[in-house]
Amino acid sequence: MTRGLSFLVKKDAKLEKMTLISGQGLINLGQRWGSKSPLMHTRANLTEVTSIKSSFEFRTLDPEGVVFYGDTRGGADWFVLALRGGRPEMQIGKADVLTTVTGGPKLDDGMWHKIELRSEGRFVVLELDGEVALVVGLHSQQTQADLSGQIRLSLGGILITEQRLLNPLRMEMDGCVRAGTWLNLSTPWETDLSQELQPCFTWISKGSYFPGTGLAIFNSSDFPVDRSEVSIEMEGYDVSTWNGTVLSLKTSQGEPVLTVTAYNETEEFTVKFGTQTSTVKMEPFHLDLNLTKHALEVSDGPIMEDDTHDWLSMWNEGMVLAFGGVPDGTDDGSSPYLHGCLRLIRIQGQVVDLDRATYKHNSVSSHSCPRMRLPGVHAMPVVGSYMY
């Protein structure tokens, strides 16, 4: 493995450290939660472009997000490749024309797919695994044949404002690319080092992975109560591997209401509800909580009563609901971040997407977990490396 070249650039009166990375290596796109800016970008003079084709391999379990972006004329003409509902979507803006098309086979199956993008005159062609999947035609009265200036490319985000998209899109993409060939350019890609670049797992399974370094936060009012209880269901491939704070609930003033902590050494959950504490044996694959007006019920555990508040009313008014840790906690051992995979989270029967959180730490993978050991499978997941 060779190291990238690091350097300092001046940006908004601050020094920002950048690193140069080969676009041909294994790259995890899921590292920019809450940001519209791309993970990495490159640029070149149009006179250096010798090919009108880019190709790469792509893998994800995420149904929506930006994969690839390119533009010319400083963003006046632009192109976006994304997923929506698991299917590829192309959006193009050129002079006075905007167009978008979505279709083709679903790509959010966790398998590696070969993607090729090429320009054929007025058409952009998307080829998936050797078969043409989408073709977009575009003609503008203001089209210019000027090949001067620069072309900009980016991965995992866009270089124009989100408002210019014809069809609004969630930017975050929990996915990986590898073996990229970008218009036959050898120009390295730039990415900042404000955070450590995360690897791609060799094998993945559907779920949300908490590596023990961060959490995701929601407002409870995003899941309104329309009956006599709040139901929270969490599933895992093997709950006994969880360790750390699985879930916490605080009032809007920051007062602790509920904390559920997993201990894999004893295979037990410690549940703190108000002033009460209870220990519950871990079930193999799930943890269910039911919060009522004055009580909490844990799956295969006791009913813990607390009539000091109307918890359902407070839930609807808005409390701080976190998965994977305690907001504003110290992580001093009393409330450690969760290390484990939540295969599924449901609140009131609704599947929870961590990309919709009000805050999510970049280390948390919203849609993929390292695949666990399965019966008859002897190879353990190996963390993929970057080609620097």
Side-chain angles (χ1 to χ4, degrees):
M1 181 187 299
T2 58
R3 292 288 180 182
L5 174 64
S6 296
F7 61 98
L8 295 175
V9 296
K10 192 171 184 180
K11 184 177 181 181
D12 296 330
K14 297 180 180 179
L15 285 177
E16 181 175 305
K17 195 173 183 180
M18 306 291 291
T19 190
L20 300 181
I21 295 178
S22 167
Q24 299 178 352
L26 184 60
I27 301 163
N28 184 346
L29 302 181
Q31 306 185 55
R32 292 284 187 167
W33 181 88
S35 174
K36 305 300 185 292
S37 61
L39 170 67
M40 50 195 294
H41 56 89
T42 189
R43 67 179 64 205
N45 294 326
L46 282 168
T47 54
E48 300 173 12
V49 176
T50 60
S51 172
I52 53 176
K53 179 176 70 175
S54 291
S55 65
F56 56 95
E57 295 180 21
F58 175 65
R59 182 193 69 183
T60 190
L61 287 163
D62 191 345
E64 184 174 336
V66 172
V67 180
F68 176 60
Y69 168 91
D71 72 26
T72 58
R73 299 201 299 146
D77 299 338
W78 53 266
F79 168 87
V80 176
L81 173 65
L83 291 192
R84 189 186 302 275
R87 301 185 188 279
E89 175 173 288
M90 293 194 289
Q91 295 196 42
I92 304 175
K94 189 172 184 66
D96 57 334
V97 177
L98 296 175
T99 187
T100 182
V101 61
T102 304
K106 297 192 72 172
L107 299 181
D108 59 339
D109 57 3
M111 306 295 291
W112 285 104
H113 295 277
K114 178 67 177 293
I115 295 179
E116 181 179 297
L117 286 161
R118 62 180 182 269
S119 176
E120 297 183 355
R122 294 176 179 174
F123 297 92
V124 177
V125 179
L126 174 67
E127 191 173 288
L128 301 177
D129 298 322
E131 300 289 337
V132 173
L134 288 176
V135 179
V136 182
L138 186 66
H139 175 66
S140 169
Q141 297 296 330
Q142 300 180 31
T143 296
Q144 300 180 6
D146 184 12
L147 295 180
S148 62
Q150 290 191 322
I151 184 169
R152 303 187 300 178
L153 306 176
S154 69
L155 294 173
I158 60 178
L159 296 170
I160 56 174
T161 61
E162 188 178 7
Q163 290 73 24
R164 293 181 60 189
L165 297 178
L166 180 61
N167 200 1
L169 185 69
R170 195 190 74 221
M171 297 291 155
E172 296 90 346
M173 167 51 67
D174 179 3
C176 291
V177 299
R178 68 183 183 188
T181 301
W182 315 99
L183 304 177
N184 277 352
L185 295 172
S186 59
T187 310
W189 295 66
E190 296 180 10
T191 185
D192 67 67
L193 291 180
S194 59
Q195 60 184 15
E196 182 180 353
L197 290 173
Q198 298 174 47
C200 292
F201 302 114
T202 300
W203 299 293
I204 58 174
S205 297
K206 187 69 176 176
S208 299
Y209 181 58
F210 294 80
T213 52
L215 74 172
I217 300 174
F218 291 84
N219 189 319
S220 65
S221 62
D222 293 336
F223 309 96
V225 179
D226 56 3
R227 52 181 186 266
S228 60
E229 66 179 20
V230 176
S231 93
I232 303 174
E233 305 165 74
M234 292 169 285
E235 298 180 8
Y237 295 100
D238 185 358
V239 174
S240 66
T241 62
W242 294 357
N243 195 65
T245 304
V246 180
L247 175 146
S248 66
L249 185 64
K250 288 185 173 183
T251 68
S252 57
Q253 290 75 38
E255 299 173 2
V257 174
L258 170 64
T259 305
V260 180
T261 307
Y263 296 94
N264 57 8
E265 290 186 357
T266 60
E267 296 190 3
E268 292 177 329
F269 292 111
T270 296
V271 181
K272 295 182 180 180
F273 180 54
T275 60
Q276 303 175 68
T277 301
S278 179
T279 300
V280 180
K281 200 67 179 174
M282 287 182 176
E283 287 294 317
F285 304 111
H286 69 91
L287 172 65
D288 299 336
L289 305 171
N290 291 295
L291 181 66
T292 62
K293 186 175 182 179
H294 296 305
L296 172 74
E297 182 178 0
V298 185
S299 53
D300 297 317
I303 296 177
M304 306 168 72
E305 298 185 350
D306 185 335
D307 59 2
T308 59
H309 296 85
D310 180 343
W311 298 115
L312 295 186
S313 294
M314 293 185 67
W315 177 280
N316 278 334
E317 291 169 3
M319 290 197 286
V320 181
L321 173 65
F323 295 96
V326 178
D328 301 321
T330 59
D331 195 31
D332 58 0
S334 61
S335 56
Y337 291 122
L338 175 66
H339 185 280
C341 174
L342 300 184
R343 187 179 70 84
L344 184 67
I345 305 172
R346 272 193 297 256
I347 300 179
Q348 302 298 80
Q350 174 185 344
V351 176
V352 176
D353 183 348
L354 295 191
D355 282 335
R356 307 294 183 184
T358 58
Y359 166 81
K360 182 179 75 68
H361 192 271
N362 280 319
S363 67
V364 177
S365 299
S366 297
H367 298 276
S368 60
C369 295
R371 186 182 296 173
M372 307 300 290
R373 184 193 291 270
L374 299 175
V377 178
H378 302 290
M380 290 298 290
V382 178
V383 174
S385 61
Y386 281 105
M387 300 295 291
Y388 287 164

